[in-house]
Amino acid sequence: MTTVFVVNSGSSSIKWELLDAESGSVYSGGIVERIGEPGGGATDHDDGMQQILAELGGEHPAVVGHRVVHGGAEFTQATVITDAVAQRLEEISVLAPLHNPANLKGIRAARATFSTVPHVAIFDTAFHGTLPPAAYTYAIDTELAQTHGIRRYGFHGTSYRYVADRAAAMLGKDLADLKLIVFHLGNGASVCAIDGGRSIDTSMGMTPLEGLVMGTRSGDIDPGALFHLGRAGMDLPGLDHLLNRESGLLGMTGTGDMRDVQSAADGGDARAQAALAVYYHRLRHYLGAYLIALAGADAVVFTAGVGENNANTRLATVAGLETFGIEMDVAANAAANRSERVVSAAASRVTVLVIPTNEELQIARESVEALTR
């Protein structure tokens, strides 16, 4: 039994879970919210960590695993955190200014609280360290790109690693022999082409803004549209806020929650129906691209909140693709079921799977692996 304390630190919250990396058993967990805010749950991250320690009842884990959003080009696997590593994470925070500084607050607070156990950083970007240059390179001036770290990094890597392993287990095959297309569809959404367990392409780019339509993010957009808005008087902070906070489903419908959009569309709301058409079109666009990139697929997998729970999204993504070997079992897809399951027809050459993700368990496992490595 190896007990791991998993920390997901945000700018004003700390989500945590204490679990066994081998069995996956969860002993306790929770969240400290509104850190540093008036009437909030803690004055700062150190105070929040002390509150969590009290909830743990003095129990100390064998290792602490930290979710870190951006590892840049150099952190491509789980890494034991030293002072030097923490300093380097500080330096590359420019690549994820909304996320990495918050992750570092949690790292510093946890290292101070649990000073006698090792700490490991698990990076959202690490799984995509296998991307070939053709997939991660943007067609801009090479020296400028290298100087400023402008390239595709990809995200949701912890989820993809977990789901890919589970897909192999469900299919009864070695992951090294499989071609998978995995849709991680939540408020943030991306898709990944996985060949033999290696990421070869993914929709998110230098930041989590590129790619699919999301709850509040635009996903793919012509950069020229931003120049147009700039000439119309919108400044850089305004553009940043627009694309990250006021776009996607929210921008098109007034709500970023897929459940509300789906309900409105089912009730005949024209804006919601139009937004879903855009959402589905982008999903199918990437599905087609990755079928070509992989030269076919053994399975298409859906995970995360929308992917696991929205049957309409799954069906719309693969509808009419029988020519490509994808055939859904409509009844199985529509059934209310929160477990791992097959939702494709028995005759389908490509298996369609729904696999609930478990990023906390994956972080725990990779933390232990990092220590043995």
Side-chain angles (χ1 to χ4, degrees), residues 239-270:
L239 289 170
D240 189 315
H241 186 77
L242 170 69
L243 297 184
N244 279 292
R245 305 294 184 186
E246 296 183 339
S247 296
L249 293 175
L250 175 65
M252 291 187 289
T253 69
T255 176
D257 192 311
M258 174 57 86
R259 292 166 296 187
D260 295 334
V261 177
Q262 187 72 66
S263 178
D266 292 343
D269 184 277

PDB file of all heavy atoms in Angstrom, residues 239-270:
ATOM      1  N   LEU A 239      -9.004  41.171 -25.463  1.00  0.00           N
ATOM      2  CA  LEU A 239      -9.023  40.018 -26.360  1.00  0.00           C
ATOM      3  C   LEU A 239      -8.814  38.723 -25.593  1.00  0.00           C
ATOM      4  O   LEU A 239      -9.474  37.704 -25.849  1.00  0.00           O
ATOM      5  CB  LEU A 239      -7.941  40.173 -27.430  1.00  0.00           C
ATOM      6  CG  LEU A 239      -8.187  41.238 -28.496  1.00  0.00           C
ATOM      7  CD1 LEU A 239      -6.933  41.437 -29.338  1.00  0.00           C
ATOM      8  CD2 LEU A 239      -9.367  40.864 -29.377  1.00  0.00           C
ATOM      9  N   ASP A 240      -7.879  38.747 -24.643  1.00  0.00           N
ATOM     10  CA  ASP A 240      -7.610  37.575 -23.807  1.00  0.00           C
ATOM     11  C   ASP A 240      -8.880  37.164 -23.067  1.00  0.00           C
ATOM     12  O   ASP A 240      -9.270  35.987 -23.044  1.00  0.00           O
ATOM     13  CB  ASP A 240      -6.487  37.914 -22.821  1.00  0.00           C
ATOM     14  CG  ASP A 240      -5.994  36.702 -22.048  1.00  0.00           C
ATOM     15  OD1 ASP A 240      -6.827  35.915 -21.562  1.00  0.00           O
ATOM     16  OD2 ASP A 240      -4.771  36.544 -21.905  1.00  0.00           O
ATOM     17  N   HIS A 241      -9.550  38.141 -22.456  1.00  0.00           N
ATOM     18  CA  HIS A 241     -10.766  37.855 -21.700  1.00  0.00           C
ATOM     19  C   HIS A 241     -11.866  37.338 -22.623  1.00  0.00           C
ATOM     20  O   HIS A 241     -12.589  36.384 -22.276  1.00  0.00           O
ATOM     21  CB  HIS A 241     -11.239  39.121 -20.982  1.00  0.00           C
ATOM     22  CG  HIS A 241     -12.406  38.897 -20.068  1.00  0.00           C
ATOM     23  ND1 HIS A 241     -12.285  38.316 -18.829  1.00  0.00           N
ATOM     24  CD2 HIS A 241     -13.741  39.149 -20.235  1.00  0.00           C
ATOM     25  CE1 HIS A 241     -13.479  38.228 -18.256  1.00  0.00           C
ATOM     26  NE2 HIS A 241     -14.374  38.728 -19.090  1.00  0.00           N
ATOM     27  N   LEU A 242     -11.991  37.948 -23.793  1.00  0.00           N
ATOM     28  CA  LEU A 242     -13.016  37.529 -24.746  1.00  0.00           C
ATOM     29  C   LEU A 242     -12.867  36.062 -25.132  1.00  0.00           C
ATOM     30  O   LEU A 242     -13.829  35.282 -25.067  1.00  0.00           O
ATOM     31  CB  LEU A 242     -12.935  38.396 -26.008  1.00  0.00           C
ATOM     32  CG  LEU A 242     -13.788  37.930 -27.195  1.00  0.00           C
ATOM     33  CD1 LEU A 242     -15.267  38.106 -26.882  1.00  0.00           C
ATOM     34  CD2 LEU A 242     -13.402  38.685 -28.463  1.00  0.00           C
ATOM     35  N   LEU A 243     -11.652  35.677 -25.543  1.00  0.00           N
ATOM     36  CA  LEU A 243     -11.449  34.335 -26.075  1.00  0.00           C
ATOM     37  C   LEU A 243     -11.444  33.258 -24.998  1.00  0.00           C
ATOM     38  O   LEU A 243     -11.837  32.118 -25.255  1.00  0.00           O
ATOM     39  CB  LEU A 243     -10.141  34.268 -26.864  1.00  0.00           C
ATOM     40  CG  LEU A 243     -10.071  35.153 -28.113  1.00  0.00           C
ATOM     41  CD1 LEU A 243      -8.767  34.920 -28.846  1.00  0.00           C
ATOM     42  CD2 LEU A 243     -11.242  34.888 -29.040  1.00  0.00           C
ATOM     43  N   ASN A 244     -10.994  33.610 -23.789  1.00  0.00           N
ATOM     44  CA  ASN A 244     -10.905  32.618 -22.716  1.00  0.00           C
ATOM     45  C   ASN A 244     -12.137  32.565 -21.827  1.00  0.00           C
ATOM     46  O   ASN A 244     -12.472  31.499 -21.301  1.00  0.00           O
ATOM     47  CB  ASN A 244      -9.676  32.891 -21.844  1.00  0.00           C
ATOM     48  CG  ASN A 244      -8.395  32.363 -22.451  1.00  0.00           C
ATOM     49  OD1 ASN A 244      -8.209  31.157 -22.561  1.00  0.00           O
ATOM     50  ND2 ASN A 244      -7.512  33.259 -22.856  1.00  0.00           N
ATOM     51  N   ARG A 245     -12.821  33.698 -21.663  1.00  0.00           N
ATOM     52  CA  ARG A 245     -13.890  33.778 -20.660  1.00  0.00           C
ATOM     53  C   ARG A 245     -15.277  34.029 -21.229  1.00  0.00           C
ATOM     54  O   ARG A 245     -16.278  33.760 -20.563  1.00  0.00           O
ATOM     55  CB  ARG A 245     -13.573  34.908 -19.658  1.00  0.00           C
ATOM     56  CG  ARG A 245     -12.220  34.810 -18.992  1.00  0.00           C
ATOM     57  CD  ARG A 245     -12.115  33.607 -18.091  1.00  0.00           C
ATOM     58  NE  ARG A 245     -10.826  33.591 -17.380  1.00  0.00           N
ATOM     59  CZ  ARG A 245     -10.424  32.591 -16.615  1.00  0.00           C
ATOM     60  NH1 ARG A 245     -11.193  31.523 -16.468  1.00  0.00           N
ATOM     61  NH2 ARG A 245      -9.247  32.633 -15.999  1.00  0.00           N
ATOM     62  N   GLU A 246     -15.368  34.559 -22.448  1.00  0.00           N
ATOM     63  CA  GLU A 246     -16.677  34.969 -22.956  1.00  0.00           C
ATOM     64  C   GLU A 246     -16.998  34.368 -24.321  1.00  0.00           C
ATOM     65  O   GLU A 246     -17.870  34.874 -25.026  1.00  0.00           O
ATOM     66  CB  GLU A 246     -16.753  36.503 -23.037  1.00  0.00           C
ATOM     67  CG  GLU A 246     -16.666  37.189 -21.685  1.00  0.00           C
ATOM     68  CD  GLU A 246     -16.805  38.693 -21.785  1.00  0.00           C
ATOM     69  OE1 GLU A 246     -16.574  39.239 -22.886  1.00  0.00           O
ATOM     70  OE2 GLU A 246     -17.142  39.326 -20.772  1.00  0.00           O
ATOM     71  N   SER A 247     -16.305  33.318 -24.696  1.00  0.00           N
ATOM     72  CA  SER A 247     -16.515  32.712 -26.009  1.00  0.00           C
ATOM     73  C   SER A 247     -17.067  31.293 -25.862  1.00  0.00           C
ATOM     74  O   SER A 247     -17.695  30.971 -24.863  1.00  0.00           O
ATOM     75  CB  SER A 247     -15.204  32.730 -26.795  1.00  0.00           C
ATOM     76  OG  SER A 247     -14.791  34.058 -27.065  1.00  0.00           O
ATOM     77  N   GLY A 248     -16.832  30.448 -26.839  1.00  0.00           N
ATOM     78  CA  GLY A 248     -17.315  29.082 -26.775  1.00  0.00           C
ATOM     79  C   GLY A 248     -18.834  29.019 -26.667  1.00  0.00           C
ATOM     80  O   GLY A 248     -19.559  29.853 -27.218  1.00  0.00           O
ATOM     81  N   LEU A 249     -19.340  28.037 -25.953  1.00  0.00           N
ATOM     82  CA  LEU A 249     -20.781  27.896 -25.771  1.00  0.00           C
ATOM     83  C   LEU A 249     -21.381  29.115 -25.094  1.00  0.00           C
ATOM     84  O   LEU A 249     -22.482  29.558 -25.449  1.00  0.00           O
ATOM     85  CB  LEU A 249     -21.080  26.639 -24.946  1.00  0.00           C
ATOM     86  CG  LEU A 249     -20.745  25.294 -25.604  1.00  0.00           C
ATOM     87  CD1 LEU A 249     -20.983  24.157 -24.618  1.00  0.00           C
ATOM     88  CD2 LEU A 249     -21.563  25.086 -26.869  1.00  0.00           C
ATOM     89  N   LEU A 250     -20.650  29.687 -24.131  1.00  0.00           N
ATOM     90  CA  LEU A 250     -21.143  30.867 -23.437  1.00  0.00           C
ATOM     91  C   LEU A 250     -21.357  32.023 -24.409  1.00  0.00           C
ATOM     92  O   LEU A 250     -22.401  32.693 -24.379  1.00  0.00           O
ATOM     93  CB  LEU A 250     -20.157  31.290 -22.343  1.00  0.00           C
ATOM     94  CG  LEU A 250     -20.494  32.583 -21.602  1.00  0.00           C
ATOM     95  CD1 LEU A 250     -21.787  32.417 -20.806  1.00  0.00           C
ATOM     96  CD2 LEU A 250     -19.356  32.987 -20.677  1.00  0.00           C
ATOM     97  N   GLY A 251     -20.378  32.263 -25.275  1.00  0.00           N
ATOM     98  CA  GLY A 251     -20.492  33.364 -26.212  1.00  0.00           C
ATOM     99  C   GLY A 251     -21.631  33.183 -27.193  1.00  0.00           C
ATOM    100  O   GLY A 251     -22.284  34.154 -27.597  1.00  0.00           O
ATOM    101  N   MET A 252     -21.887  31.939 -27.583  1.00  0.00           N
ATOM    102  CA  MET A 252     -22.924  31.684 -28.586  1.00  0.00           C
ATOM    103  C   MET A 252     -24.327  31.563 -27.999  1.00  0.00           C
ATOM    104  O   MET A 252     -25.317  31.777 -28.701  1.00  0.00           O
ATOM    105  CB  MET A 252     -22.580  30.410 -29.362  1.00  0.00           C
ATOM    106  CG  MET A 252     -21.360  30.545 -30.259  1.00  0.00           C
ATOM    107  SD  MET A 252     -21.095  29.092 -31.324  1.00  0.00           S
ATOM    108  CE  MET A 252     -20.553  27.877 -30.114  1.00  0.00           C
ATOM    109  N   THR A 253     -24.428  31.200 -26.701  1.00  0.00           N
ATOM    110  CA  THR A 253     -25.756  30.932 -26.140  1.00  0.00           C
ATOM    111  C   THR A 253     -26.078  31.709 -24.875  1.00  0.00           C
ATOM    112  O   THR A 253     -27.243  31.777 -24.477  1.00  0.00           O
ATOM    113  CB  THR A 253     -25.901  29.437 -25.791  1.00  0.00           C
ATOM    114  OG1 THR A 253     -25.055  29.128 -24.671  1.00  0.00           O
ATOM    115  CG2 THR A 253     -25.531  28.553 -26.971  1.00  0.00           C
ATOM    116  N   GLY A 254     -25.059  32.232 -24.192  1.00  0.00           N
ATOM    117  CA  GLY A 254     -25.288  32.886 -22.912  1.00  0.00           C
ATOM    118  C   GLY A 254     -25.016  31.993 -21.731  1.00  0.00           C
ATOM    119  O   GLY A 254     -25.037  32.440 -20.579  1.00  0.00           O
ATOM    120  N   THR A 255     -24.739  30.703 -21.970  1.00  0.00           N
ATOM    121  CA  THR A 255     -24.349  29.784 -20.903  1.00  0.00           C
ATOM    122  C   THR A 255     -23.231  28.877 -21.395  1.00  0.00           C
ATOM    123  O   THR A 255     -23.232  28.445 -22.550  1.00  0.00           O
ATOM    124  CB  THR A 255     -25.534  28.917 -20.427  1.00  0.00           C
ATOM    125  OG1 THR A 255     -25.063  27.977 -19.435  1.00  0.00           O
ATOM    126  CG2 THR A 255     -26.160  28.146 -21.573  1.00  0.00           C
ATOM    127  N   GLY A 256     -22.276  28.612 -20.507  1.00  0.00           N
ATOM    128  CA  GLY A 256     -21.166  27.738 -20.870  1.00  0.00           C
ATOM    129  C   GLY A 256     -21.360  26.304 -20.422  1.00  0.00           C
ATOM    130  O   GLY A 256     -20.477  25.469 -20.632  1.00  0.00           O
ATOM    131  N   ASP A 257     -22.492  25.997 -19.806  1.00  0.00           N
ATOM    132  CA  ASP A 257     -22.764  24.658 -19.288  1.00  0.00           C
ATOM    133  C   ASP A 257     -23.488  23.840 -20.356  1.00  0.00           C
ATOM    134  O   ASP A 257     -24.610  24.175 -20.766  1.00  0.00           O
ATOM    135  CB  ASP A 257     -23.614  24.752 -18.026  1.00  0.00           C
ATOM    136  CG  ASP A 257     -23.694  23.431 -17.277  1.00  0.00           C
ATOM    137  OD1 ASP A 257     -23.969  22.399 -17.914  1.00  0.00           O
ATOM    138  OD2 ASP A 257     -23.481  23.433 -16.048  1.00  0.00           O
ATOM    139  N   MET A 258     -22.859  22.758 -20.817  1.00  0.00           N
ATOM    140  CA  MET A 258     -23.449  21.941 -21.869  1.00  0.00           C
ATOM    141  C   MET A 258     -24.829  21.418 -21.491  1.00  0.00           C
ATOM    142  O   MET A 258     -25.717  21.277 -22.354  1.00  0.00           O
ATOM    143  CB  MET A 258     -22.516  20.777 -22.210  1.00  0.00           C
ATOM    144  CG  MET A 258     -23.084  19.767 -23.201  1.00  0.00           C
ATOM    145  SD  MET A 258     -23.579  20.483 -24.789  1.00  0.00           S
ATOM    146  CE  MET A 258     -22.003  20.436 -25.658  1.00  0.00           C
ATOM    147  N   ARG A 259     -25.051  21.128 -20.216  1.00  0.00           N
ATOM    148  CA  ARG A 259     -26.356  20.626 -19.792  1.00  0.00           C
ATOM    149  C   ARG A 259     -27.453  21.644 -20.087  1.00  0.00           C
ATOM    150  O   ARG A 259     -28.542  21.293 -20.570  1.00  0.00           O
ATOM    151  CB  ARG A 259     -26.328  20.270 -18.304  1.00  0.00           C
ATOM    152  CG  ARG A 259     -25.453  19.079 -17.970  1.00  0.00           C
ATOM    153  CD  ARG A 259     -25.177  18.966 -16.496  1.00  0.00           C
ATOM    154  NE  ARG A 259     -24.401  20.114 -15.999  1.00  0.00           N
ATOM    155  CZ  ARG A 259     -23.913  20.200 -14.772  1.00  0.00           C
ATOM    156  NH1 ARG A 259     -24.125  19.203 -13.904  1.00  0.00           N
ATOM    157  NH2 ARG A 259     -23.221  21.256 -14.395  1.00  0.00           N
ATOM    158  N   ASP A 260     -27.156  22.926 -19.833  1.00  0.00           N
ATOM    159  CA  ASP A 260     -28.136  23.976 -20.090  1.00  0.00           C
ATOM    160  C   ASP A 260     -28.314  24.205 -21.584  1.00  0.00           C
ATOM    161  O   ASP A 260     -29.436  24.441 -22.056  1.00  0.00           O
ATOM    162  CB  ASP A 260     -27.696  25.279 -19.419  1.00  0.00           C
ATOM    163  CG  ASP A 260     -27.677  25.171 -17.901  1.00  0.00           C
ATOM    164  OD1 ASP A 260     -28.422  24.345 -17.354  1.00  0.00           O
ATOM    165  OD2 ASP A 260     -26.886  25.911 -17.275  1.00  0.00           O
ATOM    166  N   VAL A 261     -27.201  24.133 -22.328  1.00  0.00           N
ATOM    167  CA  VAL A 261     -27.287  24.310 -23.787  1.00  0.00           C
ATOM    168  C   VAL A 261     -28.109  23.181 -24.399  1.00  0.00           C
ATOM    169  O   VAL A 261     -28.979  23.413 -25.246  1.00  0.00           O
ATOM    170  CB  VAL A 261     -25.875  24.346 -24.407  1.00  0.00           C
ATOM    171  CG1 VAL A 261     -25.975  24.444 -25.936  1.00  0.00           C
ATOM    172  CG2 VAL A 261     -25.075  25.530 -23.874  1.00  0.00           C
ATOM    173  N   GLN A 262     -27.853  21.950 -23.960  1.00  0.00           N
ATOM    174  CA  GLN A 262     -28.590  20.801 -24.486  1.00  0.00           C
ATOM    175  C   GLN A 262     -30.072  20.908 -24.175  1.00  0.00           C
ATOM    176  O   GLN A 262     -30.929  20.650 -25.036  1.00  0.00           O
ATOM    177  CB  GLN A 262     -28.033  19.512 -23.891  1.00  0.00           C
ATOM    178  CG  GLN A 262     -28.618  18.235 -24.491  1.00  0.00           C
ATOM    179  CD  GLN A 262     -28.121  17.986 -25.900  1.00  0.00           C
ATOM    180  OE1 GLN A 262     -26.947  17.738 -26.104  1.00  0.00           O
ATOM    181  NE2 GLN A 262     -29.029  18.069 -26.875  1.00  0.00           N
ATOM    182  N   SER A 263     -30.381  21.319 -22.949  1.00  0.00           N
ATOM    183  CA  SER A 263     -31.780  21.458 -22.555  1.00  0.00           C
ATOM    184  C   SER A 263     -32.483  22.519 -23.395  1.00  0.00           C
ATOM    185  O   SER A 263     -33.627  22.325 -23.840  1.00  0.00           O
ATOM    186  CB  SER A 263     -31.870  21.817 -21.068  1.00  0.00           C
ATOM    187  OG  SER A 263     -33.206  22.008 -20.669  1.00  0.00           O
ATOM    188  N   ALA A 264     -31.803  23.641 -23.619  1.00  0.00           N
ATOM    189  CA  ALA A 264     -32.389  24.714 -24.418  1.00  0.00           C
ATOM    190  C   ALA A 264     -32.593  24.263 -25.862  1.00  0.00           C
ATOM    191  O   ALA A 264     -33.626  24.551 -26.482  1.00  0.00           O
ATOM    192  CB  ALA A 264     -31.498  25.947 -24.370  1.00  0.00           C
ATOM    193  N   ALA A 265     -31.590  23.542 -26.391  1.00  0.00           N
ATOM    194  CA  ALA A 265     -31.707  23.044 -27.771  1.00  0.00           C
ATOM    195  C   ALA A 265     -32.869  22.067 -27.898  1.00  0.00           C
ATOM    196  O   ALA A 265     -33.637  22.121 -28.865  1.00  0.00           O
ATOM    197  CB  ALA A 265     -30.397  22.390 -28.195  1.00  0.00           C
ATOM    198  N   ASP A 266     -33.016  21.173 -26.922  1.00  0.00           N
ATOM    199  CA  ASP A 266     -34.118  20.209 -26.937  1.00  0.00           C
ATOM    200  C   ASP A 266     -35.471  20.920 -26.880  1.00  0.00           C
ATOM    201  O   ASP A 266     -36.474  20.413 -27.396  1.00  0.00           O
ATOM    202  CB  ASP A 266     -34.000  19.242 -25.762  1.00  0.00           C
ATOM    203  CG  ASP A 266     -32.797  18.312 -25.889  1.00  0.00           C
ATOM    204  OD1 ASP A 266     -32.257  18.190 -27.007  1.00  0.00           O
ATOM    205  OD2 ASP A 266     -32.402  17.720 -24.872  1.00  0.00           O
ATOM    206  N   GLY A 267     -35.486  22.119 -26.263  1.00  0.00           N
ATOM    207  CA  GLY A 267     -36.717  22.892 -26.151  1.00  0.00           C
ATOM    208  C   GLY A 267     -36.984  23.784 -27.344  1.00  0.00           C
ATOM    209  O   GLY A 267     -37.949  24.555 -27.337  1.00  0.00           O
ATOM    210  N   GLY A 268     -36.106  23.704 -28.349  1.00  0.00           N
ATOM    211  CA  GLY A 268     -36.338  24.462 -29.572  1.00  0.00           C
ATOM    212  C   GLY A 268     -35.607  25.780 -29.672  1.00  0.00           C
ATOM    213  O   GLY A 268     -35.833  26.540 -30.629  1.00  0.00           O
ATOM    214  N   ASP A 269     -34.726  26.098 -28.729  1.00  0.00           N
ATOM    215  CA  ASP A 269     -33.992  27.362 -28.773  1.00  0.00           C
ATOM    216  C   ASP A 269     -33.032  27.364 -29.967  1.00  0.00           C
ATOM    217  O   ASP A 269     -32.132  26.523 -30.055  1.00  0.00           O
ATOM    218  CB  ASP A 269     -33.211  27.548 -27.472  1.00  0.00           C
ATOM    219  CG  ASP A 269     -32.512  28.892 -27.405  1.00  0.00           C
ATOM    220  OD1 ASP A 269     -31.402  29.016 -27.964  1.00  0.00           O
ATOM    221  OD2 ASP A 269     -33.069  29.824 -26.793  1.00  0.00           O
ATOM    222  N   ALA A 270     -33.207  28.334 -30.873  1.00  0.00           N
ATOM    223  CA  ALA A 270     -32.431  28.371 -32.116  1.00  0.00           C
ATOM    224  C   ALA A 270     -30.955  28.651 -31.864  1.00  0.00           C
ATOM    225  O   ALA A 270     -30.083  28.082 -32.537  1.00  0.00           O
ATOM    226  CB  ALA A 270     -33.005  29.415 -33.062  1.00  0.00           C
TER     227      ALA A 270
END
